[in-house]
Amino acid sequence: MTKAVVLHSGGQDSTTCLAWAIREYGHDNVTALSIEYGQRHHVELEQAAVICDALGVRAVELRLRDLLGDLAGGALTDPERAVQLHATDGWQADHDLPSTFIPGRNLLFFTAAAAYGIPRGCERLVTGVCEADRAGYPDCRAGFVDAAEEAIALAMDTPNFLIDAPLLELDKAGTWLLAETLGVLGLVVEQSHTCYQGDRSKRYAWGYGCGECPACTERATGFGLAFPMPVQQ
Ligand SMILES: [Zn+2]
């Protein structure tokens, strides 16, 4: 019996991964781990709890706010900074990264999830990282995932430890289609939250959001490619 801990933010990708993990490892062997790191809004974490309730999986929240809040940060944690696909100031601009990139975030998240899961018998960590994301975060690439897997296995004396990244090579349309295959398309549309602005006041075919930020436009474009509207005759 393999147990898995799933990094679950409440967004589209990690919610799809949670459903994937339930299919792979069985309902009772999956724990959803959400991390509170000083996000500029709480909507994602609230939706994460709603989604775990709907799927009936064990949910745990870890608080890394003090740690990540004091590090370099980015527009995800600093409301003073604009959400930009290409940052125009700060360290992120020097590295041609989005303003939303938080240095070290996924490395810390993977370490925290493994430190939580491994002593509880979880030899799998499931993450929704995706190389094809327009954001191009360096800690969402295969080389990083492989290196983190090896480092954690060594650091925590768990040679069988593996990181599952089922979305790694999928684009957003592929992730939408996977959600449909897993039978959670309605749940992902209605309850997952991706919008950087924390806006759930407007409902589109692809779910709730401001409809304008980079996360909303990527989610909307992927949905349109996955499920094209029939042409009106
Ligand atoms: Zn938005």
Side-chain angles (χ1 to χ4, degrees):
M1 184 179 67
T2 304
K3 290 185 174 182
V5 59
V6 182
L7 275 167
H8 184 232
S9 70
Q12 176 191 350
D13 293 349
S14 65
T15 298
T16 305
C17 283
L18 185 54
W20 180 91
I22 291 169
R23 185 188 70 180
E24 290 295 306
Y25 300 117
H27 203 264
D28 295 338
N29 299 317
V30 169
T31 300
L33 188 75
S34 297
I35 298 186
E36 200 275 347
Y37 60 94
Q39 291 95 322
R40 50 199 269 169
H41 53 73
H42 274 269
V43 176
E44 267 196 351
L45 289 175
E46 289 164 11
Q47 291 310 116
V50 169
I51 289 161
C52 288
D53 269 356
L55 292 172
V57 290
R58 195 178 309 112
V60 174
E61 187 175 312
L62 286 185
R63 293 168 192 274
L64 296 184
R65 170 186 285 265
D66 290 345
L67 179 61
L68 269 166
D70 285 343
L71 300 182
L76 284 189
T77 51
D78 181 355
E80 301 293 308
R81 294 193 61 175
V83 172
Q84 299 167 319
L85 206 51
H86 297 278
T88 54
D89 63 347
W91 180 89
Q92 286 85 355
D94 296 340
H95 291 260
D96 194 26
L97 287 164
S99 65
T100 47
F101 179 71
I102 298 176
R105 182 174 65 153
N106 280 349
L107 186 56
L108 284 165
F109 282 13
F110 287 8
T111 306
Y116 177 86
I118 284 176
R120 292 169 174 82
C122 299
E123 291 183 338
R124 296 290 185 279
L125 164 58
V126 184
T127 168
V129 297
C130 173
E131 283 192 323
D133 263 357
R134 223 170 25 166
Y137 293 165
D139 59 2
C140 291
R141 296 178 190 146
F144 162 70
V145 174
D146 291 345
E149 178 181 87
E150 185 178 357
I152 289 168
L154 289 170
M156 301 190 198
D157 193 26
T158 307
N160 296 330
F161 176 78
L162 290 174
I163 296 178
D164 292 321
L167 312 186
L168 193 66
E169 294 175 356
L170 296 183
D171 58 16
K172 273 286 181 287
T175 301
W176 278 118
L177 292 170
L178 177 60
E180 185 183 43
T181 302
L182 293 166
V184 292
L185 182 60
L187 181 72
V188 174
V189 168
E190 290 298 328
Q191 303 298 353
S192 77
H193 182 88
T194 316
C195 175
Y196 284 139
Q197 307 299 345
D199 186 348
R200 290 187 71 75
S201 63
K202 296 190 239 3
R203 166 69 156 82
Y204 300 88
W206 44 266
Y208 294 87
C210 72
E212 293 168 7
C213 75
C216 279
T217 52
E218 188 163 27
R219 180 171 166 136
T221 304
F223 190 88
L225 289 169
F227 310 112
M229 296 286 284
V231 177
Q232 300 287 330
Q233 295 294 332

